[in-house]
Amino acid sequence: MSSAEAKEGVVEERKGSVVLHAADNVEQIEAPVTWKAYLLCAFASFGGIFFGYDSGYINGVNGAKIFIEAVEGKGATELSYTNSSLIVSILSVGTFFGAIIAGDVADWIGRKWTVIIGCLIYMVGVVIQMITSPETALGPIVAGRLIAGLGVGFESAIVILYMSEICPRKVRGALVAGYQFCITIGILLASVVVYATENRKDTGSYRIPIAIQFPWALILGGGLMLLPDSPRYFVKKGNLERAKNALARVRGQPEDSIYVQSELAEIVANEEYERALIPSTTWFGSWANCFKGSIFQANSNLRRTVLGTSLQMMQQWTGVNFIFYYSTPFLQSTGAIENSFLISLIFTLVNVLSTPLSFWTVERFGRRTILIVGAFGMLVSQFIVAIVGVTVGFNHTHPDPSDPTGETHLANNIAAVNAQIAFIAIFIFWFASTWGPGAWIVIGEIFPLPIRSRGVALSTASNWLWNTIIAIITPYMTHSDKGNMKSTVFFVWGGLCTAAFVYSYFLIPETKGLTLEQVDKMMEETTPRTSAKWKPTTTFASQVGAKDGYLDTGIMADERRSSAV
């Protein structure tokens, strides 16, 4: 290779091998962030809109009179706790299985096409939900939400994986946080639509909110058709030419750019390093790899899998989905709120406006810091809501004198109820700016390439498993015929937020500013409490034998074959 070619960073191909320019400086292994690259990566976060919308619309629909009668029969004023639990939780059941399946599909056909298939499945589910009538709504809504859930499972697991693998390290946290921001926008859009249709006297009061799900999947699926797949997926498949092309597109650089080659060399070298630790095996063996190693070893596969799944469990334990799934019927049941639909809309607006703060904080202070601070803010807010509620707030009402039936109740202390609503909004602020995006960011960063798709899938499935459990048990906790916990339920969420605070301090590593390959090294050499101080000193390319600034993949392959013999 001539010196001129070396300066231009030209890729040389000889007999199936590829020679890549390899950077010696760890700060030079990724291209500067361009607006083209930023927008290209950010588009994938659009998937959060139909995730959020699908989670948000059911809250209002379950409180719509026409829908209640379509499920329970004429004259019904509320859903039974069994039907309410079934309708809300069935989406999460489908999503749990969709996320698990998506891990295999993403390694088979690629990250991009897995999300596109998820969009198609989702659209089928939406169509089925539309096949309702004023007399028979339960069957189609349950079947449709189950199928739509499969599609959401594909999308929620693999969009995070896809974004983590294509985003530049300096803005990866902010871009993945954009996914959570789109979730909040979806929830807000759902609230607006439900609020606009709540007074309709026909099935449009719930069919319109259902139908508006369709365009979000169409936009995401159609847009992804124009985007490249993950370069790390192509490296895993051994297709370096397509990996180089995809990396050049997502970085906004020409294919012969030194930056593109240096980053690709680092990805290839890391894949080689990880393959030595996690050899390719059978389908069952590849899943078993997720559970190898000791739980006490910081960089073991088992430790990472437990970290990812438990982190998503903790996110659900905060109680945020109690607010977004059940706040409308719950606030109605207290008798203290005149327009609970409007209050729910305010909660979702707080959710949307708070999330963008994480774009800055996650890169300025780091993932670990915002999760610790956020958990503390949430636990304080939840305990205040609980204490005020059981003393002078939600739990204390009296019959409305103007209602001869005695069914309507009024709050004894309006100021106390307003204080509770304010602290619920403050809780949402803390969640939306910390744990909402933070949990998704971390699970996309902690897994090595050989098990990344399955590790992210398992973590996402954990999110939906606990989402399902909470959706099922909450009506039994708060329904007047069952637990009737009222404000006491916030003691439960406050206690769980306390667990999340302790968990974050002892177990969450700091991954800010590192490439996915550097995260692997950091987890080998530090503990969570010392991880923020770790700095990379060498590149993977130099560790696996790069010579004179170049990495020859043909030599690497020969050495691998020799060691195998």
Side-chain angles (χ1 to χ4, degrees), residues 439-521:
W440 292 109
I441 294 168
V442 172
I443 68 164
E445 296 177 331
I446 59 175
F447 294 100
L449 184 58
I451 64 166
R452 186 172 295 144
S453 64
R454 290 176 172 85
V456 174
L458 285 169
S459 301
T460 307
S462 172
N463 179 291
W464 289 107
L465 174 63
W466 288 100
N467 189 307
T468 304
I469 292 171
I470 290 171
I472 290 173
I473 66 174
T474 299
Y476 293 87
M477 295 166 67
T478 60
H479 198 280
S480 58
D481 291 341
K482 292 294 181 181
N484 197 26
M485 295 181 69
K486 294 185 179 179
S487 296
T488 309
V489 74
F490 289 96
F491 279 117
V492 175
W493 307 133
L496 292 171
C497 286
T498 303
F501 174 74
V502 175
Y503 171 92
S504 325
Y505 179 77
F506 286 103
L507 297 177
I508 301 296
E510 184 52 73
T511 56
K512 175 177 73 77
L514 304 177
T515 68
L516 297 183
E517 290 69 39
Q518 290 168 348
V519 170
D520 290 343
K521 201 68 178 172

Side-chain angles (χ1 to χ4, degrees), residues 199-341:
N199 292 322
R200 290 181 65 100
K201 303 302 181 184
D202 56 18
T203 57
S205 64
Y206 62 89
R207 275 180 163 167
I208 291 174
I210 291 171
I212 292 177
Q213 298 172 94
F214 198 91
W216 313 133
L218 198 61
I219 293 169
L220 177 64
L224 282 179
M225 298 281 286
L226 305 176
L227 268 61
D229 212 324
S230 163
R232 288 174 169 87
Y233 163 73
F234 289 126
V235 168
K236 183 173 183 177
K237 290 294 186 181
N239 193 334
L240 298 189
E241 274 304 301
R242 295 192 68 181
K244 174 161 62 76
N245 176 264
L247 188 59
R249 290 177 63 186
V250 299
R251 294 292 178 263
Q253 299 281 336
E255 289 188 25
D256 61 357
S257 162
I258 290 180
Y259 288 116
V260 170
Q261 290 188 54
S262 297
E263 185 173 357
L264 184 57
E266 192 70 359
I267 295 170
V268 170
N270 175 258
E271 199 267 344
E272 184 72 15
Y273 173 81
E274 290 176 339
R275 191 185 304 189
L277 300 176
I278 312 173
S280 299
T281 181
T282 62
W283 174 84
F284 180 81
S286 61
W287 277 103
N289 280 335
C290 295
F291 303 95
K292 287 186 175 179
S294 169
I295 191 67
F296 301 105
Q297 184 181 354
N299 68 321
S300 72
N301 290 355
L302 176 61
R303 176 71 170 263
R304 297 182 201 224
T305 300
V306 170
L307 176 62
T309 53
S310 60
L311 181 61
Q312 290 289 4
M313 175 186 73
M314 288 291 175
Q315 189 202 58
Q316 291 300 305
W317 277 8
T318 61
V320 68
N321 279 330
F322 168 76
I323 304 298
F324 292 118
Y325 283 166
Y326 294 111
S327 63
T328 297
F330 177 77
L331 292 176
Q332 286 172 339
S333 72
T334 66
I337 306 300
E338 183 176 345
N339 191 332
S340 56
F341 279 99

